Amino acid sequence: MSEHPSTYDPKTGVEKWLDKRLPIVRLAYDSFVDYPTPRNLNYWWTFGGILSVCLVIQIVTGIILAMHYVPHIDHAFASVERIMRDVNYGWLIRYVHANGASMFFFAVFIHMFRGLYYGSYKAPREVLWILGCIIFFLMIATAFMGYVLPWGQMSFHGAVVITNLIGSIPVIGGPILTWLQGGFAVDQPTLNRFFSLHYLLPFVIAGVVILHIWALHVTGQNNPAGVEIKSKEDTVPFTPYATVKDGLGIIIFLFLFAIFVFFLPNSLGHADNYIPANPLVTPAHIVPEWYLLPFYAILRAVPDKFLGVVAMFAAIAVLFILPWLDTSKVKSMRYRPVMRWFFVIFVVVCLALGWCGAQLPDTPVIPGLPSFNLIDGAFNSYLWLTRFLTLYYFAFFLVIMPWIGLKEEPLPVPASISEAILAEHAKKKG
Amino acid sequence: MSAFMTKSLKKVLGAVAVAAALAGASGAYAAGGAEHPKHVDFTFKGPFGTFDQGQLQRGYKVYKEVCANCHSATLMSFRNLGQKGGPFYDPKYKNPNDNPVVKAIAAEFEVPDIDTDTGEDITRPATPSDNFPEKYPNTYAAAAGNGGAIPPDLSVITKARHGGAEYIYSLLTGYVTPPKGLNVAPGQYYNPYMAGSLATQWDGDPHHVPVGGVLAMAPPLNQGAVTYDDGTPETVDNYAKDVSAFLQWAGDPHTTLRKKTGVAVLIYLFLFGGLTYAAYRQLWHGKH
Ligand code: HEM
């Protein structure tokens, strides 16, 4: 918090000397030791710490992978397998990196839904939220390019499908596509540059994360009550309180992570990616990794390819303007009896979109049920289910948010965090 | 009212989270039109399962004497056969390159090399550090030798097919005479476990297209074709089980170490988590 005065007191001569020249210890002390944290944070707030751990894990394992990986179309697949077989503990490094991407997205989705539910995007945290959206977008780009590197069937054909989307942009799409692929097809130049960018972007993410945390420390953390910190009674110092709590959250998360890495290392990936890339054989069913499925579903819901691309990007872009779409005066949905149910539906819709992204569009949703054709596809098909879900996705932000915010009668909001805690205690007893 | 809402909302969110995990895990797989692989009680299944070394040795024999006539496994090196957890691991030889069994196995294969005196292309017997050789000089030769189809490299085949070892076993033992009305071209064989779509080859009721597909591999296993010297009955069923187990190991040779490490990591995290929880309770007592 900006008003929070620094309490760092350099004791030794060296500390005093350094503090006058570069107050870096002071910065760390004020940010992670004495930093006042709302007392009422719940476990959904531990995902910020979890995400930092994820980023570090991806960077450390990634750098080691890059020491052994060969970005060449004839050697990439075999080099990844060599890492798994012949590099000491290479199987561990590679399975941690591959599953780590899934874990990273799992955590970021929870982190974002948390922000959505408790109104963490609202004033004064708009910039903080937008920086988060930038991180999310960079993560998608990084993961997509990383998935291309092992050069399996899904890597290759996924890259073909996604890069070709650019080609659907009128007039300038074609030249941009050639420039992006480094030629007229996905080939050696594409793999080489994707490796370069996959190495670069995580460090860009790390940079934006620093801005994200800076912005966080200017405005202070939001909390489940959605009221700002009023007095010292509302807070506890970050260390030891938040460190221990975040630590516990991280350990539980690592437990889940370890179950995947050690016992189900390939369950989140697609078997076809263990077939070396072959441009002449297209897999029966090209699907992206699970965390990109909702966006893939939105892409395919739109009959026109270019407009599909627009819709897919809009699905992320809409998050950037969210702070100005919500008209409610109340932050936390705890005190928004109507909006919270629209939120629950929204979460279900996002999951359902992910489900639809993995299905063939023409497959009937309820097999055996008679159907009829609507415009360009059977009504009882994933195509039309996806369209309705997509409609809700956008309506949630563009219609429901502004409208319910004006209409809804919020529940009484506690005057302060301390009061919210007292009210909860009374509720537990009574 | 608000208390009720918060509670029910928590329940809904909990259920949603579980559903999310399940949907995420299974969503990536859309079933193909093939029979679900048969269930086999492999010893390596489950979090504590390990490979049966005798089975891996028999499986290697089937691989060498049958499958290797058409297939390669170039991602494997001979040395792998003698490393810890492998079919020919011998605690006496920590370095598998010294293992005489592995040396003898390698020497049965010829690998390409260059004569350093003349610069000519030659072949020489393999050593443990060599990779399994290519079966064909290129994919055209592979296709020409197999009626147009290319036998896939088997190094990671168990990871490249849903069902893994159970799928390989089911495929090898699953050949049946094609149902009446299914046109199977010469050199092709019907197998209900093979992924495919047979609608264009089917003369019968279009609503009842047979499941499965056709492939260019004739049933490769015949009773008694491979001699077992440990008394295991020489049946197609055993051959199929053993070679599937071998390929499962070959696809992920460090599986046993991985699972063992995993158990230790989970125990560690559990204890560390318990301690942290105790510290957390103590610290936050009366604070929230
Ligand atoms: C934001 C952080 C990162 C994410 C989300 C991410 C994601 C991914 C994904 C999804 C794959 C494909 C895994 C597979 O199926 O095999 C991959 C592969 C790879 N990544 Fe990353 N990565 C990140 C950071 C890094 C960094 C910092 C480096 C290098 C310094 C790196 C180097 C590699 C290499 C060499 C591969 C190919 C080997 C392989 O496929 O396992 N990654 N990454």
Side-chain angles (χ1 to χ4, degrees):
Chain A
M1 272 172 33
S2 49
E3 320 90 80
H4 178 71
S6 176
T7 57
Y8 173 63
D9 179 19
K11 296 249 155 41
T12 63
V14 178
E15 278 178 90
K16 280 182 187 141
W17 183 87
L18 185 64
D19 197 50
K20 285 229 177 66
R21 289 157 179 84
L22 179 72
I24 189 163
V25 184
R26 179 180 298 275
L27 179 71
Y29 184 87
D30 292 344
S31 308
F32 301 109
V33 181
D34 191 45
Y35 182 70
T37 314
R39 272 168 63 188
N40 59 339
L41 297 187
N42 55 31
Y43 272 95
W44 300 117
W45 260 265
T46 60
F47 280 88
I50 289 171
L51 283 163
S52 317
V53 170
C54 285
L55 181 61
V56 172
I57 290 177
Q58 289 308 100
I59 289 182
V60 170
T61 53
I63 289 176
I64 301 172
L65 285 174
M67 293 174 187
H68 303 279
Y69 169 80
V70 183
H72 188 286
I73 53 170
D74 294 334
H75 305 293
F77 186 90
S79 76
V80 172
E81 273 302 318
R82 196 160 48 247
I83 291 170
M84 302 264 290
R85 287 155 193 273
D86 296 340
V87 173
N88 287 331
Y89 285 90
W91 56 268
L92 180 60
I93 306 281
R94 197 264 173 147
Y95 279 152
V96 167
H97 195 79
N99 286 284
S102 283
M103 292 294 137
F104 205 160
F105 275 92
F106 172 70
V108 87
F109 286 139
I110 293 186
H111 191 67
M112 292 169 79
F113 280 129
R114 187 279 322 257
L116 200 56
Y117 185 75
Y118 293 110
S120 302
Y121 49 87
K122 290 162 81 87
R125 298 187 181 79
E126 300 94 324
V127 173
L128 175 58
W129 172 263
I130 289 172
L131 289 167
C133 294
I134 294 173
I135 294 171
F136 179 59
F137 185 73
L138 290 172
M139 274 175 67
I140 293 178
T142 308
F144 162 66
M145 287 190 272
Y147 192 61
V148 175
L149 302 185
W151 210 243
Q153 275 289 70
M154 278 299 160
S155 299
F156 178 83
H157 292 279
V160 171
V161 170
I162 300 300
T163 52
N164 274 323
L165 294 176
I166 310 289
S168 70
I169 301 173
V171 190
I172 52 167
I176 293 183
L177 175 64
T178 312
W179 177 74
L180 192 77
Q181 293 180 336
F184 296 107
V186 172
D187 208 329
Q188 177 59 38
T190 327
L191 176 61
N192 231 145
R193 65 191 50 195
F194 276 20
F195 179 51
S196 169
L197 293 173
H198 183 71
Y199 205 135
L200 169 70
L201 287 188
F203 294 92
V204 178
I205 293 177
V208 185
V209 166
I210 290 172
L211 298 182
H212 189 69
I213 295 175
W214 183 11
L216 173 75
H217 285 189
V218 170
T219 62
Q221 281 162 289
N222 186 28
N223 62 81
V227 292
E228 297 300 325
I229 294 171
K230 303 264 160 64
S231 70
K232 223 172 160 325
E233 262 57 79
D234 291 346
T235 66
V236 287
F238 191 88
T239 301
Y241 293 96
T243 11
V244 169
K245 193 169 185 168
D246 280 354
L248 185 55
I250 290 167
I251 292 169
I252 295 169
F253 179 80
L254 289 180
F255 195 88
L256 176 78
F257 194 159
I259 290 176
F260 278 102
V261 167
F262 293 104
F263 300 101
L264 301 160
N266 294 311
S267 62
L268 295 169
H270 199 293
D272 279 19
N273 223 28
Y274 278 109
I275 305 172
N278 182 350
L280 303 178
V281 179
T282 309
H285 189 183
I286 301 173
V287 282
E289 294 269 87
W290 69 267
Y291 39 78
L292 301 180
L293 288 171
F295 301 104
Y296 192 54
I298 292 175
L299 167 78
R300 292 192 304 179
V302 184
D304 180 80
K305 197 170 163 192
F306 173 59
L307 292 180
V309 177
V310 172
M312 184 173 72
F313 280 104
I316 298 169
V318 72
L319 297 173
F320 283 76
I321 53 166
L322 177 60
W324 297 277
L325 292 172
D326 186 355
T327 53
S328 173
K329 297 254 176 322
V330 175
K331 278 198 197 102
S332 172
M333 286 198 204
R334 260 195 193 170
Y335 309 107
R336 300 187 59 188
V338 181
M339 195 57 198
R340 64 191 336 190
W341 288 107
F342 282 104
F343 170 81
V344 171
I345 298 172
F346 179 73
V347 175
V348 174
V349 163
C350 290
L351 295 173
L353 275 171
W355 178 266
C356 290
Q359 311 301 319
L360 292 169
D362 303 333
T363 317
V365 179
I366 307 168
L369 203 74
S371 181
F372 56 90
N373 259 10
L374 190 64
I375 311 176
D376 58 348
F379 189 65
N380 178 16
S381 72
Y382 278 101
L383 178 67
W384 274 101
L385 178 61
T386 310
R387 285 181 179 164
F388 286 115
L389 296 171
T390 305
L391 202 65
Y392 184 87
Y393 181 96
F394 284 107
F396 177 77
F397 292 112
L398 300 173
V399 181
I400 296 170
M401 274 261 172
W403 183 56
I404 300 292
L406 295 176
K407 290 275 161 210
E408 178 184 49
E409 181 85 47
L411 300 173
V413 176
S416 70
I417 292 173
S418 312
E419 200 191 293
I421 294 173
L422 289 179
E424 225 166 270
H425 284 191
K427 207 172 65 191
K428 265 191 201 142
K429 285 206 188 97
Chain B
M1 175 61 181
S2 131
F4 160 75
M5 292 277 257
T6 311
K7 269 222 180 102
S8 56
L9 189 63
K10 272 190 185 148
K11 273 195 198 135
V12 172
L13 287 179
V16 163
V18 172
L22 294 176
S26 60
Y29 308 122
E35 199 85 61
H36 199 74
K38 299 181 214 175
H39 175 88
V40 187
D41 278 318
F42 284 118
T43 57
F44 52 77
K45 280 179 150 181
F48 303 104
T50 53
F51 289 103
D52 169 353
Q53 203 181 20
Q55 182 171 49
L56 291 185
Q57 293 183 358
R58 293 194 300 277
Y60 171 72
K61 198 152 197 263
V62 177
Y63 168 77
K64 165 82 195 333
E65 290 177 21
V66 183
C67 319
N69 288 317
C70 306
H71 292 275
S72 60
T74 55
L75 298 173
M76 290 245 292
S77 50
F78 294 104
R79 156 173 61 79
N80 293 145
L81 296 171
Q83 76 196 21
K84 207 164 178 189
F88 300 100
Y89 172 65
D90 183 342
K92 270 200 297 226
Y93 303 100
K94 290 276 180 268
N95 178 354
N97 291 306
D98 302 333
N99 184 322
V101 182
V102 174
K103 281 187 187 170
I105 285 174
E108 290 169 18
F109 289 80
E110 286 282 310
V111 291
D113 206 340
I114 290 169
D115 187 324
T116 48
D117 293 332
T118 63
E120 268 165 38
D121 290 334
I122 53 161
T123 65
R124 59 162 172 83
T127 62
S129 60
D130 283 312
N131 273 34
F132 280 43
E134 296 276 2
K135 177 69 204 161
Y136 296 98
N138 52 56
T139 52
Y140 304 105
N146 291 281
I150 299 166
D153 185 276
L154 295 183
S155 317
V156 284
I157 196 79
T158 45
K159 289 194 288 190
R161 296 290 184 278
H162 293 295
E166 287 187 334
Y167 167 75
I168 309 294
Y169 167 80
S170 307
L171 183 77
L172 294 175
T173 57
Y175 288 93
V176 287
T177 29
K180 240 177 109 127
L182 186 68
N183 303 311
V184 178
Q188 296 277 321
Y189 304 85
Y190 170 64
N191 194 311
Y193 297 94
M194 178 82 186
S197 109
L198 296 170
T200 54
Q201 286 155 266
W202 176 242
D203 290 338
D205 177 0
H207 292 290
H208 294 96
V209 182
V211 294
V214 294
L215 74 168
M217 174 169 73
L221 297 169
N222 294 303
Q223 179 143 351
V226 180
T227 315
Y228 278 166
D229 13 70
D230 62 355
T232 308
E234 292 159 358
T235 60
V236 168
D237 196 67
N238 279 339
Y239 293 157
K241 272 190 190 132
D242 296 346
V243 79
S244 306
F246 171 72
L247 291 174
Q248 176 73 28
W249 170 80
D252 214 346
H254 299 294
T255 307
T256 310
L257 175 63
R258 162 160 63 75
K259 289 196 246 180
K260 267 198 197 147
T261 316
V263 172
V265 167
L266 290 186
I267 291 175
Y268 172 79
L269 286 175
F270 185 79
L271 295 178
F272 189 28
L275 266 176
T276 312
Y277 182 67
Y280 162 76
R281 286 296 299 255
Q282 170 103 24
L283 184 68
W284 278 82
H285 187 79
K287 286 280 175 190
H288 62 148

